[in-house]
């Protein structure tokens, strides 16, 4: 097998302009999770070994022996079987998943309030509202009543924790705040090597920063005269830490799953997971069935939905995408909690946030204008006494880390944003390094620029950054969904996120060696906040089931408006809304279901909601409907280029469904329940190819409180609409699909002599390759591009040529294959698939997953095709037509009419 996938991907990026967001699915080589039929009193690994009968060599990574949760093992094959399908053929094997790499959890470091110090915890003075997130979510009112999560056990799956931090209890084991846990991997684990477990989840360096921050959000208490006076959401809960990352790189699905299973076996009430890998599809995720059985056993799972808001709808992460997991979106803190004041010499002052000291070496280069750096380099003569002010923009924020910065030799870097509505957010660096980093708000950076103009008069201007008291500063993006927060639903239309919690600019504990505290941002912060609230509710209402508690959390959440707009944010971004702990504990109605997915239909099926009065009084309810923002996966129809078109922009449209209720008033006696029916009609949508989603909330108001049920849907039937974008899909660029590269005679594309790759894999500059370029605008489980005879009798949905015109050209000199669903072919150019793919399609022949928000194009780079079984062979000179077939969403794919298809013009190639 040659490296077709890799090479074509490279070229897709290098040569074809339309390809934008190709997300990586990174598998750990030859590594699988194998689920087995349960055999009583046998360990999964030895059962598997018996069944296998020596057909391959492998080593076991993780065992899953709890038949109630998941029975099987994960393994790396070292010799023998190389395909998932072969493993599936082994007796007793129920399912097999390749193991994906799970990236280190991503959070944006905004600030570390004090310089990294000698493991000492500073005492920070000032009048900052450091516990503002607790107030945003009604947690303060529960704390006032002594409700702090006592008796609830929470398992955290993360990077480990510095439990020696005094605010986290200063120790480990029974009697301590962090009282249990395990390191499923050691320091050296990278995701691809064999994990070496250890009893102790302690990590004292910055690499354990993420887990230490997460643990603090749940459980920290700053002692008097120490730290800031911070309090976690559930400071009396008992916490366990399951470490799943080494000191660098990634983890694997099987390690995360093993941690989930172990936490459940350790008797936790809930598991919180602030990590994940971008997945889109529920199908093919190994977490779905494990999550279901863990929740069935009475343990809740709460997870971050991801920080991929810039990718638009459907870009959700696993395990958060599993239907039984409560996935959380992130809300921006109403204040920047750690703001210092710098004094200047002209009687003024300036507010700033002190950042983590960055290393300059391993920072990513960005795409900003390099002339800026050259100009800066020329201007700076005395680096040690120069501070650079860098504006971060949404488009080139990473350039702030470019190596060019180190060439400036400065010691102080001041970051700011070019937009008052973008909170200052930076990716988390791995280690601490050489710069002093300060962050200014937009307004403050404007001030510094005008202050500095005084220099023009020849006077000296100084700013002293030596304050040791903090204050806060109002965050203009506060109390709204963070722009980075991932946008649901799943491709299968499960409503995600279920709700949202504070996650942007959150101050919490950090390893002592790295300063003791940090302000981080991400859904990683929102998930443990939610876990803390779950614990508060659980401590008060221990008899409720997981689903009942989740329902209370969702129905009492408060929908938020989009930033600076008079429109409710899409449910795809906020779920129910901002969590309200006080209302959840006080709730005296139980509503089910707690969310509605209306799937893909202009006229969804009638929905039923059950309302139960759990109070001791007669209650009157009034029921109404409120629409939320309409959101499109592709929304820039005037973009002028494909790149811009496919870049998601967070545009809010006031386009709503209508809802008709069977009754709008309801009286309920104590302990009684009643059903309400609701018929939704989706808004009209003439442009389904923009992949829009509508949403809103059903509102149930009683005399004393109000509840919501969020819903979302796709306003058209996916199976009835266009899959292959064509001329009618009035956007930009070429008429698609098209073939290239040279179109001299109508109906025939003469490709001429191929250039092939250089021996070092490089692409010659004059490359002249056959191109088939297409865009798929609905989710599909299978996209297939094959080459067929010029005179094929196949009747496609669309012709890419005039079928009445005949040409006399000789076909390629290749044996005709049986093909797929009765269409003989010469071979496959490319094929993408996921989940329920039709029988007859070999998993080995798939290049990757089809994503619903990704342009798909293809270049036949090398004169190279594959057979149905995935083995490759060379193309010869001659003619053929490309045939594109796309399986309609929801169909089995076992008959030809379940595909939308396009048959292209003749491609006449001459291989050299
Ligand atoms: C995909 O992975 C490669 C190699 O790890 C990386 O260079 C690239 O940036 C990734 N692309 C995306 C879109 O994440
Ligand atoms: C670190 O703290 C210890 C104990 O307080 C002290 O003896 C030592 O000098 C400190 N080291 C530095 C580099 O400040
Ligand atoms: C930066 O500093 C290094 C070491 O002090 C020095 O060798 C180099 O010339 C400096 N570069 C500039 C551009 O000042
Ligand atoms: C649409 O694309 C154009 C061209 O790239 C860009 O200038 C414009 O800002 C985009 N509009 C939105 C709403 O993103
Ligand atoms: C695309 O539309 C334009 C304008 O309507 C038309 O001139 C052209 O022939 C169409 N191309 C195809 C391939 O249908
Ligand atoms: C296809 O049909 C045309 C017209 O009938 C004929 O001239 C040509 O030779 C055929 N090509 C092949 C490869 O059979
Ligand atoms: C794949 O299929 C081709 C053509 O049918 C066959 O020649 C080849 O041996 C097969 N390869 C494997 C590994 O089965
Ligand atoms: C898909 O296939 C299954 C079993 O092969 C069958 O039960 C089901 O009805 C099929 N569904 C459709 C939509 O054809």
């Amino acid at each position: 097998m040659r490296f077709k996938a890799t090479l074509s991907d490279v070229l897709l990026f290098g040569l074809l302009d339309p390809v934008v967001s190709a997300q990586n699915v990174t598998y750990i080589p030859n590594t699988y999770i194998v689920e087995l039929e349960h055999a009583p009193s046998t360990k999964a690994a030895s059962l598997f070994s018996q069944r296998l009968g020596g057909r391959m060599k492998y080593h076991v990574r993780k065992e899953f022996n709890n038949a109630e949760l998941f029975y099987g093992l994960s393994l790396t094959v070292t010799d023998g079987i190389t395909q998932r399908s072969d493993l599936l053929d082994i007796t007793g094997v129920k399912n097999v998943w390749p193991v994906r790499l799970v990236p280190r959890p991503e959070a944006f470091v905004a600030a570390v309030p004090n310089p990294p110090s000698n493991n000492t915890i500073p005492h920070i003075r000032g009048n900052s509202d450091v516990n503002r997130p607790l107030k945003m979510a009604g947690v303060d009112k529960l704390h006032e009543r002594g409700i702090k999560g006592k008796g609830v056990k929470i398992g955290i799956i993360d990077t480990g924790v510095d439990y020696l931090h005094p605010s986290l209890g200063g120790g480990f084991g029974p009697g301590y705040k962090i009282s249990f846990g395990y390191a499923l991997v050691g320091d050296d684990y990278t995701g691809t090597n064999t994990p070496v477990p250890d009893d102790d989840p302690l990590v004292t360096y910055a690499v354990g920063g993420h887990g230490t921050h997460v643990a603090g959000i749940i459980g920290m208490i700053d002692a008097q005269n120490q730290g800031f006076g911070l309090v976690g959401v559930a400071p009396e809960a008992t916490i366990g830490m399951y470490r799943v990352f080494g000191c660098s790189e990634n983890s694997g699905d099987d390690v995360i799953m093993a941690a989930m299973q172990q936490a459940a076996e350790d008797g936790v009430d809930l598991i919180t997971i602030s990590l994940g890998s971008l997945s889109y599809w529920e199908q093919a995720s190994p977490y779905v069935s494990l999550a279901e059985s863990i929740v069935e056993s009475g343990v809740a799972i709460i997870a971050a939905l991801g920080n991929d808001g810039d990718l638009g709808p459907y870009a959700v992460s696993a395990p958060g995408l599993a239907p039984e997991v409560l996935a959380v979106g992130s809300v921006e803190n109403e204040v920047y909690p750690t703001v210092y004041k710098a004094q200047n010499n002209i009687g003024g002052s300036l507010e700033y946030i002190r950042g983590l000291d960055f290393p300059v070496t391993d920072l990513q280069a960005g795409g900003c204008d390099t002339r800026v750096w050259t100009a800066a380099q020329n201007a700076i003569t005395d680096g040690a006494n120069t501070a650079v002010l860098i504006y971060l923009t949404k488009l080139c924020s990473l350039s702030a880390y470019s190596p060019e910065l180190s060439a400036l030799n400065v010691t102080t870097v001041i970051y700011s944003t070019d937009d008052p509505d973008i909170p200052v957010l930076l990716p988390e660096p791995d280690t601490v390094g050489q710069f002093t980093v300060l962050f200014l708000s937009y307004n403050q950076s404007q001030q510094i620029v005008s202050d500095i103009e005084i220099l023009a008069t020849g006077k000296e201007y100084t700013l002293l950054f030596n304050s040791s008291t903090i204050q806060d500063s109002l965050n203009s993006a506060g109390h709204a969904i963070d722009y980075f927060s991932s946008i649901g639903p799943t491709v299968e239309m499960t409503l995600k996120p279920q709700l949202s919690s504070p996650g942007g600019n959150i101050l919490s504990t950090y390893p002592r060696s790295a300063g003791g505290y940090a302000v981080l941002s991400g859904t990683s912060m929102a998930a443990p906040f939610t876990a803390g609230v779950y614990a508060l509710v659980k401590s008060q209402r221990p008899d409720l089931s997981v689903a009942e508690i989740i329902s209370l959390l969702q129905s009492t959440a408060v929908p938020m408006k989009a930033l600076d707009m008079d429109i409710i944010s899409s449910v795809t971004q906020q779920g129910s809304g901002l969590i309200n702990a006080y209302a959840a504990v006080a709730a005296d109605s139980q509503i089910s279901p707690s969310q509605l997915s209306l799937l893909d239909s202009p006229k969804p099926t009638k929905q039923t909601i059950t309302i139960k009065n759990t109070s001791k009084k007669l209650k009157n309810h009034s029921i109404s409907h409120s629409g939320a923002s309409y959101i499109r996966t592709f929304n820039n129809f005037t973009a002028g280029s494909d790149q811009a078109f496919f870049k998601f922009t967070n545009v809010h449209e006031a386009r709503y469904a209508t809802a008709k209720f069977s009754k709008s008033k309801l009286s309920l006696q104590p302990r009684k329940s009643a059903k309400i029916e609701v018929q939704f009609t989706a808004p009209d949508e003439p442009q389904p190819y923009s992949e829009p989603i509508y949403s809103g909330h059903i509102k149930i108001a009683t005399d004393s409180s109000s509840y919501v049920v969020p819903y979302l849907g796709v306003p058209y039937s996916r199976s009835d609409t266009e899959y292959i974008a064509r001329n009618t899909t009035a956007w930009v660029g070429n008429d698609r699909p098209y073939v290239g590269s040279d179109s001299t005679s109508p109906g025939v594309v003469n490709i001429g002599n191929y250039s092939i790759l250089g021996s070092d894999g490089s692409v010659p500059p004059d490359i002249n390759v056959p191109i088939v370029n297409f865009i798929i605008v609905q989710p599909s489980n299978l996209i297939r591009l094959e080459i067929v005879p010029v005179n094929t009798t196949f009747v496609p949905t669309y012709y890419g040529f005039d079928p009445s015109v005949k040409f006399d050209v000789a076909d390629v000199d290749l044996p005709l294959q049986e093909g797929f669903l009765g269409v003989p072919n010469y071979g496959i150019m490319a094929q993408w698939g996921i989940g329920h793919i039709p029988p007859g399609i070999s998993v080995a022949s798939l290049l990757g997953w089809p994503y619903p928000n990704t342009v798909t194009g293809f270049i036949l780079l090398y004169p190279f095709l594959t057979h149905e079984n995935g083995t490759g062979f060379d193309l010869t000179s001659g003619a053929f037509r490309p045939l594109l077939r796309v399986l309609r969403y929801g169909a089995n794919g076992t008959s030809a009419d379940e595909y939308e298809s396009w048959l292209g013009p003749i491609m006449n190639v001459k291989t050299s």
Side-chain angles (χ1 to χ4, degrees):
M1 177 84 188
R2 274 175 270 181
F3 306 105
K4 182 172 181 179
T6 319
L7 294 178
S8 62
D9 284 348
V10 167
L11 261 198
L12 280 177
F13 284 105
L15 286 186
L16 265 192
D17 68 338
V19 177
V20 243
S21 58
Q23 281 78 44
N24 288 331
V25 181
T26 317
Y27 294 111
I28 303 178
N30 305 319
T31 303
Y32 301 92
I33 296 164
V34 179
E35 187 177 17
L36 299 169
E37 306 277 0
H38 179 230
S41 69
T42 313
K43 294 266 193 216
S46 62
L47 180 73
F48 180 74
S49 154
Q50 288 162 25
R51 295 279 164 77
L52 191 66
R55 266 181 284 166
M56 68 177 196
K57 289 200 181 107
Y58 62 97
H59 62 80
V60 175
R61 280 167 58 104
K62 291 284 170 199
E63 265 196 80
F64 301 85
N65 284 313
N66 187 333
E68 313 237 301
L69 301 180
F70 192 93
Y71 183 74
L73 69 161
S74 66
L75 52 87
T76 298
V77 180
T78 51
D79 191 21
I81 289 173
T82 55
Q83 294 193 10
R84 175 175 175 268
S85 47
D86 297 326
L87 285 166
L88 274 168
D89 286 344
I90 296 165
T91 319
V93 170
K94 269 169 76 176
N95 210 338
V96 176
W97 296 269
V99 178
R100 289 180 70 184
L101 272 182
V102 179
R104 274 189 99 74
E106 178 195 345
F108 307 91
V109 174
V112 169
N114 54 290
S117 67
N118 201 8
N119 281 4
T120 55
I121 299 304
H123 180 204
I124 312 283
R125 288 166 227 271
N127 59 0
S128 173
D129 194 357
V130 288
N131 291 314
R132 180 70 158 247
L134 302 185
K135 294 179 192 162
M136 289 170 66
V139 172
D140 56 335
K141 288 200 245 172
L142 294 179
H143 286 187
E144 278 165 23
R145 288 162 175 75
I147 298 169
K148 297 183 177 179
K150 204 178 192 70
V152 180
K153 266 181 98 170
I154 304 176
I156 302 173
I157 298 177
D158 214 295
T159 60
V161 60
D162 181 7
Y163 53 64
L164 296 174
H165 195 299
S167 304
L168 294 174
F172 179 63
Y176 284 103
K177 182 185 291 291
I178 313 281
S179 73
F180 60 100
Y182 190 66
L184 284 90
V185 306
D187 287 355
D188 298 335
Y189 180 61
T190 59
T192 44
N193 55 5
T194 306
V196 181
D198 181 326
D199 286 338
D200 193 344
L202 179 70
V203 180
T204 55
Y205 295 100
V207 291
H210 191 272
T212 304
H213 200 268
V214 161
I217 288 170
I218 297 174
M220 65 191 164
I221 307 180
D222 279 347
Q224 282 221 312
N225 297 327
Q226 196 172 267
F228 292 84
L230 285 165
V231 182
V233 178
E236 290 178 3
T238 303
I239 297 173
M241 170 61 70
Y242 298 86
R243 181 186 181 189
V244 292
F245 289 91
C247 289
S248 65
E249 299 187 45
N250 307 305
S251 190
D253 285 329
D254 55 339
V255 173
I256 313 295
M257 288 172 67
M260 290 166 72
Q261 172 169 301
Q262 189 174 346
E265 286 173 349
D266 289 348
V268 300
D269 295 295
L270 66 149
I271 299 169
T272 183
I273 309 176
S274 287
L275 52 85
S277 45
L278 189 59
S279 296
Y280 298 83
W281 296 82
E282 289 168 42
Q283 296 170 43
S285 175
Y287 294 99
V288 172
S289 68
L290 176 66
E292 198 178 312
S293 37
I294 289 178
V295 170
E296 210 163 87
S297 78
V299 177
I301 306 171
I302 293 167
L305 191 58
N307 300 331
D308 293 304
D310 60 330
L311 298 178
Y314 304 114
V316 295
S317 293
L321 58 59
E324 297 304 324
V325 171
L326 173 63
V328 187
S330 174
V331 179
E332 183 64 18
N333 195 346
E334 291 165 351
V335 296
Y336 288 108
T338 58
V339 173
Y340 296 81
K341 259 197 177 143
Q343 301 296 327
N344 64 23
N345 62 338
I346 52 171
S349 66
L350 194 77
E351 291 176 349
Y352 69 96
I353 299 169
R354 194 183 189 292
L356 194 64
D357 292 357
F358 284 105
V360 285
T361 45
D362 55 351
L363 301 175
Q364 286 167 276
C368 291
D369 194 333
T370 52
R371 287 170 301 182
V372 173
W373 295 112
T374 317
Q377 221 157 20
N378 293 338
I380 296 170
T381 51
D382 178 10
N385 290 303
T386 307
V388 277
L389 175 65
I390 297 178
Y391 280 86
L392 303 176
T393 71
K394 253 185 184 170
L395 290 177
C396 66
S397 61
L398 287 182
S399 72
Y401 300 127
S402 67
E404 287 91 334
L405 189 55
S406 62
L408 299 182
N409 272 358
V410 295
T411 52
T412 305
V413 183
I414 304 172
Y415 290 98
S416 181
T417 97
D418 67 342
D419 178 344
D421 288 337
I422 306 175
V424 180
L425 298 172
L426 299 167
E428 187 170 19
D430 288 345
T431 49
V432 277
Q434 308 92 319
F435 286 147
T436 296
V437 184
L438 310 169
F439 297 93
L440 301 181
S441 68
Y442 173 76
N443 289 337
Q444 298 296 310
S445 65
Q446 292 301 302
Q447 196 200 317
I448 205 174
V449 170
S450 64
D451 276 0
I452 286 172
E453 277 167 8
I454 200 169
L455 287 172
T457 68
K459 290 211 185 97
E460 186 169 285
Y461 176 78
T462 59
L463 261 179
L464 230 56
F465 295 95
N466 62 354
S467 166
S468 60
T469 62
I470 57 160
Q471 57 180 58
D472 52 37
S473 153
L474 213 58
N475 183 344
S476 62
H479 201 97
I481 277 290
D482 278 306
Y483 70 84
F484 58 73
S485 192
S486 287
I487 304 173
T490 64
V491 174
E492 290 85 349
M493 296 300 295
T494 298
L495 190 150
K496 298 278 170 184
Q498 271 85 354
L499 50 73
S500 307
S501 286
N505 276 298
I506 303 298
L507 176 63
S508 178
T509 47
Y510 215 56
R512 294 157 302 142
S513 69
Y517 296 90
V519 177
L520 305 193
S521 296
T523 54
S524 281
M525 283 65 245
F529 194 100
T530 309
V533 174
Y534 184 100
L536 298 178
V537 178
K538 176 81 181 168
S539 73
Q540 296 308 295
R541 308 180 79 164
D543 299 334
L544 296 187
S545 68
V546 172
E548 284 168 330
I549 294 179
I550 290 176
S551 167
L552 288 183
L553 296 176
Q554 283 193 281
S555 64
T556 57
V558 184
M560 290 166 289
K561 285 185 177 169
L563 191 60
D564 296 335
M565 289 183 78
D566 198 21
I567 182 170
I568 298 291
S569 282
S570 170
V571 167
T572 62
Q573 293 174 292
Q574 67 170 328
S576 284
L578 175 58
I579 199 165
N580 185 337
Y582 180 77
V585 168
D588 57 8
S589 293
Q590 186 80 53
I591 294 162
S592 70
S594 58
Q595 61 180 39
L596 299 170
S597 170
L598 307 179
L599 306 177
D600 55 311
S601 164
K603 182 105 187 190
T605 56
K606 200 172 263 178
Q607 308 288 315
T608 304
I609 295 195
T610 303
I611 305 171
K612 183 173 184 191
N613 177 2
T614 57
S615 79
K616 298 197 178 82
K617 289 189 294 202
L618 175 87
K619 275 171 65 184
N620 296 311
H621 305 75
S622 67
I623 294 122
S624 62
H625 162 245
S626 149
S629 150
Y630 191 84
I631 197 166
R632 296 175 195 271
T633 308
F634 306 128
N635 58 14
N636 195 342
F637 295 108
T638 55
S641 79
D642 290 344
Q643 267 103 345
F645 178 79
F646 285 100
K647 187 161 170 33
F648 170 72
T649 37
N650 200 346
V651 174
H652 301 268
E653 288 174 57
R655 187 191 274 256
Y656 306 132
T658 57
K660 243 178 105 182
F661 298 100
S662 54
K663 42 176 116 80
S664 60
K665 300 274 178 214
L666 181 67
S667 243
L668 280 176
Q669 297 291 338
R671 304 272 136 205
K672 291 287 184 241
S673 58
K675 290 186 193 320
I676 303 270
E677 285 188 335
V678 48
Q679 176 65 62
F680 286 97
T681 306
D684 273 349
E685 180 48 87
Q687 300 174 320
Y689 49 78
S690 64
E691 287 192 44
I693 301 163
Y694 68 97
S695 64
H697 298 86
I698 294 173
K699 298 199 151 171
I700 301 157
T702 73
D703 307 334
S704 53
S705 44
S706 78
Y707 301 91
V708 293
V709 179
Y711 68 85
L712 54 73
V714 162
Y716 56 89
S717 164
R718 281 174 176 165
S719 62
D720 294 348
T721 193
E722 169 180 296
Y723 275 74
I724 303 172
R726 289 168 305 121
N727 207 18
T728 48
T729 320
W731 62 62
V732 290
N734 303 287
D735 294 345
R736 288 207 174 74
Y738 67 81
V739 299
S741 55
D742 174 22
S743 172
T744 47
S745 50
V748 179
V749 176
N750 287 307
I751 302 300
N753 291 320
Y754 275 116
S755 299
I756 59 169
L757 289 188
S759 55
D760 59 352
S762 64
V763 180
D766 59 343
I767 187 162
N768 184 20
V769 296
I771 296 170
V772 182
N773 188 311
F774 55 91
I775 298 171
I776 308 301
V777 289
Q778 300 296 335
S780 165
N781 283 84
L782 182 70
I783 300 172
R784 206 178 134 86
L785 180 63
E786 55 205 305
I787 73 170
V788 299
V790 167
N791 287 350
T792 181
T793 56
F794 179 75
V795 179
T797 323
Y798 311 116
Y799 285 98
F801 58 96
D802 179 352
S804 65
V805 181
K806 304 288 176 205
F807 290 91
D808 189 8
V809 284
D811 275 22
V812 285
D813 183 21
L814 288 169
L816 205 56
Q817 306 289 325
E818 184 189 334
F820 180 60
L821 299 177
V823 187
N825 68 20
Y826 293 124
I828 303 171
M829 271 171 104
Q831 182 160 243
W832 294 263
I834 191 171
H836 307 302
I837 53 171
I841 297 293
S842 154
V843 176
S845 67
L846 301 177
L847 284 183
W849 293 359
Y851 295 110
N853 68 345
T854 307
V855 186
T856 311
F858 193 73
I859 297 173
L860 186 57
L861 168 68
Y862 191 79
F864 179 78
L865 299 166
T866 62
H867 294 296
E868 296 291 343
N869 60 15
T871 44
F873 64 97
D874 289 345
L875 183 61
T876 64
S877 292
F880 57 83
R881 292 185 190 277
L883 169 62
L884 178 63
R885 285 191 274 183
V886 185
L887 178 56
R888 291 173 183 283
Y889 182 81
N892 270 351
T894 47
S895 75
D897 59 7
E898 292 173 338
Y899 297 77
E900 188 172 291
S901 56
W902 172 85
L903 184 61
I906 296 168
M907 300 178 84
N908 190 21
V909 304
K910 205 161 146 208
T911 59
S912 48

